[in-house]
Amino acid sequence: MNKIIIYMLLLGGLFSAKANDLPEVGSDCIWKNTDFEYFCDTCGCGGNGGSMGFGTGLNNNFVGLRYIGQKYRSRDGIFDNSPWINENFNTVQVWGKFPVGKRVLINALLPYHFHNRTFADNTEQTITGIGDATVLAYYNVLRQTPDSIISIKPEHALQIGGGLKLPTGSFDAANIEGSVNPSFQLGTGSWDYILAANYGISHRNWGLSTLVNYTIKTENSKKYQFGNQWNVALNTYKTYYVSPSVSLTPQIGVGGEFFEENLEFSLAVPDTGGNVYFGRLAVELNYNRYALGFSSMLPISQNLNEGKVEVKNRVSLYLNINI
């Protein structure tokens, strides 16, 4: 409850700042949209490279780099008194969104992971390498007006699509033994299928966006299968136009991740699955075609792996070039 109160207070501070609400008509601004942010394929993002939010909004096409840092702790064993271990998941992604024709968009990302964890005896384990690449195709059911046109009426945008997560990252079966968190991996080792939908509404410099997606996991060559997963998110934002070429957009939102149990040799793996709910604060700075963004996510409530895995926080920093 204290965390929810903090987010509400910060929201009031963010949106009460003084700035020009709208740029002059015809100025070279970028019509701001929302950041759907990242969601994890499995606890620790071993599965899809750390993101199910495949862009910084519904209206901009871009290419960029993004860093995602996550902190977890998990029980090193199956018992309630097993020692806690600290886990750090770090990811650098090349990502982008590209138009194909007038209504089709392609989202793609390729992650590189460098994860580490420290055990109770102070020994460490580190894994590094390319993660699982993901490609999504979206169809624009409803489209916003072009960036150069400012509408005085509410604007709606709706995208629906699907795609694949490719097993380009390695899966180490040894990392699912002796530790409750099996997601200390570079990849799932499986071909996974994604269904997704994004909806956004904007009016002048205010906006609201929602995201929902469902990932269907398959069994990998080691007979291990991560549980299917739902991701949902709701974000709101307001853009302040500092000048014709500079804008600042604070954002606030909530999200949830829901995991089914993992399977091994088609049998349910104990102490897997669960859910986590996040609060999110973010800000994006736009200068002409460039976008620099920072985001922080803190858990509001969680029950992962029967309480034997806890997410502490997530942060993200990205630099995009709008195309």
Side-chain angles (χ1 to χ4, degrees):
M1 181 62 68
N2 290 337
K3 292 178 181 177
I4 297 176
I5 294 173
I6 291 172
Y7 275 106
M8 294 176 66
L9 291 173
L10 287 173
L11 174 61
L14 284 170
F15 288 168
S16 63
K18 299 294 184 181
N20 294 328
D21 280 351
L22 285 171
E24 295 180 1
V25 174
S27 65
D28 230 358
C29 70
I30 292 180
W31 187 248
K32 180 61 197 152
N33 41 67
T34 182
D35 183 352
F36 281 130
E37 206 37 72
Y38 49 93
F39 287 90
C40 294
D41 184 275
T42 55
C43 285
C45 290
N48 78 340
S51 174
M52 290 307 307
F54 283 85
T56 54
L58 292 172
N59 207 26
N60 283 352
N61 302 308
F62 69 93
V63 62
L65 287 174
R66 176 167 61 172
Y67 165 77
I68 298 171
Q70 303 176 86
K71 291 185 180 296
Y72 291 81
R73 70 172 190 164
S74 63
R75 294 285 188 184
D76 186 20
I78 62 174
F79 303 107
D80 290 339
N81 62 350
S82 297
W84 288 104
I85 63 174
N86 295 315
E87 299 178 312
N88 298 295
F89 295 81
N90 299 281
T91 300
V92 175
Q93 296 174 341
V94 179
W95 65 330
K97 182 172 71 173
F98 314 94
V100 178
K102 293 184 178 181
R103 287 192 175 268
V104 177
L105 297 169
I106 301 296
N107 287 146
L109 66 85
L110 179 64
Y112 185 89
H113 300 302
F114 41 108
H115 303 335
N116 66 82
R117 57 184 176 183
T118 304
F119 296 95
D121 61 1
N122 290 324
T123 60
E124 295 187 0
Q125 181 185 9
T126 300
I127 56 175
T128 60
I130 292 175
D132 289 345
T134 306
V135 179
L136 274 179
Y138 280 104
Y139 181 77
N140 272 316
V141 179
L142 297 173
R143 293 182 295 175
Q144 293 176 328
T145 55
D147 290 343
S148 58
I149 300 175
I150 298 177
S151 174
I152 62 174
K153 297 180 179 180
E155 294 268 326
H156 300 269
L158 174 64
Q159 301 170 352
I160 57 174
L164 291 172
K165 184 187 67 59
L166 291 69
T168 50
S170 63
F171 173 85
D172 188 352
N175 286 340
I176 65 174
E177 305 296 337
S179 177
V180 170
N181 190 355
S183 299
F184 193 79
Q185 304 283 349
L186 298 178
T188 61
S190 62
W191 292 82
D192 299 335
Y193 306 95
I194 304 163
L195 301 174
N198 301 330
Y199 169 76
I201 181 172
S202 60
H203 180 55
R204 292 183 176 268
N205 56 336
W206 283 90
L208 181 74
S209 69
T210 61
L211 169 152
V212 59
N213 59 59
Y214 182 63
T215 304
I216 302 168
K217 317 289 180 61
T218 66
E219 187 179 74
N220 62 29
S221 61
K222 304 297 184 181
K223 303 300 180 181
Y224 197 90
Q225 181 176 343
F226 287 95
N228 294 345
Q229 175 187 343
W230 284 98
N231 292 325
V232 296
L234 174 68
N235 287 303
T236 186
Y237 64 90
K238 184 179 182 181
T239 298
Y240 299 93
Y241 295 93
V242 181
S243 73
S245 59
V246 178
S247 64
L248 185 68
T249 305
Q251 306 163 37
I252 190 168
V254 293
E257 302 171 7
F258 310 91
F259 307 91
E260 297 178 12
E261 285 184 310
N262 298 349
L263 302 176
E264 189 172 18
F265 295 100
S266 300
L267 299 175
V269 178
D271 296 328
T272 59
N275 59 77
V276 57
Y277 298 89
F278 288 98
R280 174 178 174 271
L281 287 174
V283 63
E284 181 173 297
L285 175 66
N286 281 267
Y287 173 70
N288 292 329
R289 295 173 58 202
Y290 300 94
L292 177 66
F294 174 79
S295 174
S296 175
M297 296 172 68
L298 292 174
I300 298 172
S301 69
Q302 58 182 304
N303 180 23
L304 296 172
N305 296 37
E306 298 297 330
K308 295 182 173 63
V309 172
E310 294 182 357
V311 55
K312 308 304 289 183
N313 62 69
R314 295 178 185 168
V315 296
S316 171
L317 179 67
Y318 61 85
L319 177 62
N320 294 338
I321 302 175
N322 296 317
I323 57 176

